[in-house]
Amino acid sequence: MEELIKYGEKFFDELEIVVRRSRGIEVNVELNEISMGATRIEKVTIIRGIKDKRVGIAIIDTDSKEEVKKAIEEAAKMAKLNTPDEKWSSLPSPGKYREKPKVSEDLKSVSTETLVEFVTRGIKLARESDPNVTVAGGSAGTSWAEVEIFNSQGINVSQEFGSAHIFFEFVGKKEGVVTPGIFDFDAKDNLELDVEGVVNRGLERVKWAYNVKEAKNEETTVIFGPWAISGLLSYALFPAFSGERLVKKTTPLADKVGEKVASDVITIYDDTFHELSIAKAIADGEGVPTRKVTLIEEGIFKGFIWDNYWAKVYGTESTGHGQRDWRGGGVSIGLNSAVIENGKRELSEIIGEIKHGYLVEGLQGAHSSNPDNGNFAVTANPAYLIEDGEVVGSTVFLIAGNVYELLKQATEVSKDQRALPFMTTAITPYIKFENVKIAGKK
């Protein structure tokens, strides 16, 4: 690759070459049957060059040396057509990386048959446990990728990633009641997926959902599950941590460093090396070393995350949060593995002390949340009514508010913690909130 960097320096002041080789397998489920299976093998090479502050990008589906040279020439042509970016400083320089984690060898060579066995076992268990249940959808899949990053500033780093997941959506139909879609999942950086746990947790919630209850307008205790928390924070809160938004003055956290933005029970940090992380990266998308970055500590906002470009614009250093766009070739700021620190008690213990309240497993409409101010309006579904320390049925209701006000109402986080590999990878417990305003929905 050094030869290609030197070749590119004939055309550019600076040059970056990123190569990604990947293999993914997925088996999909629909209405109690396997609907489709597919294997995807890809190679992508991205050329990003800078000449007189003009950026040129080329993307090709091979790592062939000759084709990369042609792509460098094409990127140079594109750079000439683009307007100079006067904010441009330079590509990142090498740093000190953590020790590379070992990727499970099984993920490199797993067969479709293994995934078929996972889903057929799950379907069989669900149908035998509750004949009224339909496995409406789901999937099992694995992915493996190798990424190499080189640039003319001296970065030369490679890393491997591997992960597996299983997901089921259950719908129950009993005595005239049709439940909403109840989903559960497991995701790991190995093949030891908990198929039985996914099915059993899902069917427990289907059982709750057979007993439909009506929610009323009230202020009450609400527990948000990992899926609900991840969905809401990914849209309403996490974007506000971006240093780009600080520069552009579009984050409500701009003047909040060192101030209280959540309750004492809320600690959030980003650490791709967390034990539950499914993508333990030593470098971000442009080769900057990753590290643990605390965002909120016991309710206090600690600071922002940065990629190389916006860090240099602002006059600080990258925190290792440059996320590569594999379609467009560029880099933007994003979290690696957002972690909400867990607590000491199991979910069952927390529920057992609630006289009246709700458990929310899913939120509809979270994508419409506004990260510029933290406002949101969502439908809690699936959601469950808690009475005298027990879940007694399912319900649906509306919640509208502000994510920062909501976080100040948090009173406990569970010991249970789950990893969600969707959008931003989030590792989160259940969170109990007090005095949440809800509106019943008939």
Side-chain angles (χ1 to χ4, degrees), residues 134-282:
T134 296
V135 182
S139 67
T142 61
S143 65
W144 170 86
E146 177 186 38
V147 177
E148 299 176 328
I149 305 172
F150 308 88
N151 74 23
S152 53
Q153 298 288 350
I155 282 181
N156 180 344
V157 62
S158 65
Q159 53 191 336
E160 286 185 88
F161 306 96
S163 65
H165 80 270
I166 190 160
F167 161 81
F168 289 119
E169 180 183 11
F170 307 99
V171 175
K173 186 176 182 180
K174 182 179 179 181
E175 298 175 356
V177 174
V178 178
T179 73
I182 309 291
F183 39 81
D184 210 291
F185 65 95
D186 189 25
K188 291 186 172 75
D189 60 1
N190 55 62
L191 272 178
E192 297 174 12
L193 297 173
D194 184 11
V195 178
E196 287 74 19
V198 170
V199 173
N200 291 335
R201 286 190 299 269
L203 294 189
E204 179 182 40
R205 283 151 177 75
V206 171
K207 183 179 178 180
W208 295 341
Y210 284 139
N211 192 14
V212 179
K213 299 289 185 178
E214 187 173 308
K216 58 185 178 181
N217 299 343
E218 59 180 323
E219 286 189 16
T220 187
T221 301
V222 178
I223 299 174
F224 280 25
W227 200 297
I229 286 292
S230 175
L232 179 61
L233 299 193
S234 291
Y235 291 105
L237 177 67
F238 292 163
F241 294 141
S242 167
E244 178 183 356
R245 286 180 174 268
L246 176 62
V247 173
K248 294 181 176 179
K249 300 180 180 179
T250 58
T251 171
L253 296 172
D255 57 352
K256 301 296 184 183
V257 175
E259 294 188 14
K260 197 86 167 175
V261 297
S263 85
D264 292 346
V265 304
I266 299 297
T267 292
I268 303 175
Y269 57 89
D270 186 272
D271 186 10
T272 184
F273 270 60
H274 186 277
E275 61 180 355
L276 294 182
S277 173
I278 61 169
K280 297 177 174 64
I282 64 170

Side-chain angles (χ1 to χ4, degrees), residues 34-77:
I34 294 173
S35 59
M36 184 177 68
T39 299
R40 183 181 66 257
I41 298 174
E42 295 179 338
K43 289 182 181 179
V44 177
T45 300
I46 297 173
I47 311 299
R48 183 170 62 150
I50 300 90
K51 178 67 175 178
D52 299 327
K53 295 184 179 290
R54 301 173 189 264
V55 179
I57 293 176
I59 306 171
I60 55 176
D61 58 0
T62 177
D63 57 359
S64 160
K65 184 182 295 186
E66 292 306 313
E67 293 301 318
V68 171
K69 286 184 177 180
K70 292 178 183 177
I72 290 171
E73 295 169 9
E74 288 300 315
K77 294 177 184 177

Side-chain angles (χ1 to χ4, degrees), residues 130-440:
D130 185 348
N132 299 303
V133 161
T134 296
V135 182
S139 67
T142 61
S143 65
W144 170 86
E146 177 186 38
V147 177
E148 299 176 328
I149 305 172
F150 308 88
N151 74 23
S152 53
Q153 298 288 350
I155 282 181
N156 180 344
V157 62
S158 65
Q159 53 191 336
E160 286 185 88
F161 306 96
S163 65
H165 80 270
I166 190 160
F167 161 81
F168 289 119
E169 180 183 11
F170 307 99
V171 175
K173 186 176 182 180
K174 182 179 179 181
E175 298 175 356
V177 174
V178 178
T179 73
I182 309 291
F183 39 81
D184 210 291
F185 65 95
D186 189 25
K188 291 186 172 75
D189 60 1
N190 55 62
L191 272 178
E192 297 174 12
L193 297 173
D194 184 11
V195 178
E196 287 74 19
V198 170
V199 173
N200 291 335
R201 286 190 299 269
L203 294 189
E204 179 182 40
R205 283 151 177 75
V206 171
K207 183 179 178 180
W208 295 341
Y210 284 139
N211 192 14
V212 179
K213 299 289 185 178
E214 187 173 308
K216 58 185 178 181
N217 299 343
E218 59 180 323
E219 286 189 16
T220 187
T221 301
V222 178
I223 299 174
F224 280 25
W227 200 297
I229 286 292
S230 175
L232 179 61
L233 299 193
S234 291
Y235 291 105
L237 177 67
F238 292 163
F241 294 141
S242 167
E244 178 183 356
R245 286 180 174 268
L246 176 62
V247 173
K248 294 181 176 179
K249 300 180 180 179
T250 58
T251 171
L253 296 172
D255 57 352
K256 301 296 184 183
V257 175
E259 294 188 14
K260 197 86 167 175
V261 297
S263 85
D264 292 346
V265 304
I266 299 297
T267 292
I268 303 175
Y269 57 89
D270 186 272
D271 186 10
T272 184
F273 270 60
H274 186 277
E275 61 180 355
L276 294 182
S277 173
I278 61 169
K280 297 177 174 64
I282 64 170
D284 71 0
E286 46 193 350
V288 176
T290 60
R291 62 180 193 248
K292 180 179 178 179
V293 176
T294 300
L295 302 164
I296 296 176
E297 185 174 27
E298 296 181 351
I300 304 297
F301 178 53
K302 307 301 287 187
F304 296 90
I305 57 173
W306 301 91
D307 65 0
N308 173 70
Y309 177 87
W310 287 105
K312 288 177 176 174
V313 168
Y314 191 70
T316 186
E317 63 178 17
S318 172
T319 55
H321 289 91
Q323 305 301 330
R324 179 69 57 176
D325 177 358
W326 294 104
R327 292 186 177 182
V331 174
S332 60
I333 298 174
L335 293 166
N336 296 312
S337 294
V339 181
I340 302 177
E341 197 166 86
N342 58 342
K344 297 180 179 179
R345 298 201 301 166
E346 301 287 348
L347 173 65
S348 58
E349 296 179 73
I350 298 173
I351 290 176
E353 292 184 356
I354 295 175
K355 181 71 175 176
H356 170 77
Y358 298 89
L359 170 63
V360 175
E361 293 283 14
L363 295 175
Q364 298 170 357
H367 64 282
S368 63
S369 303
N370 187 347
D372 292 349
N373 54 28
N375 290 339
F376 66 89
V378 293
T379 299
N381 186 27
Y384 307 95
L385 176 64
I386 301 170
E387 295 284 4
D388 298 321
E390 293 185 358
V391 177
V392 298
S394 67
T395 189
V396 179
F397 53 86
L398 305 176
I399 309 175
N402 180 274
V403 71
Y404 300 100
E405 294 303 316
L406 180 67
L407 289 174
K408 289 176 182 177
Q409 295 166 248
T411 57
E412 187 170 4
V413 295
S414 72
K415 183 179 180 180
D416 321 50
Q417 211 174 24
R418 307 283 298 280
L420 291 97
F422 310 110
M423 292 183 56
T424 296
T425 297
I427 299 166
T428 173
Y430 291 80
I431 304 180
K432 184 177 75 170
F433 301 94
E434 299 291 353
N435 304 315
V436 179
K437 292 182 180 180
I438 71 169

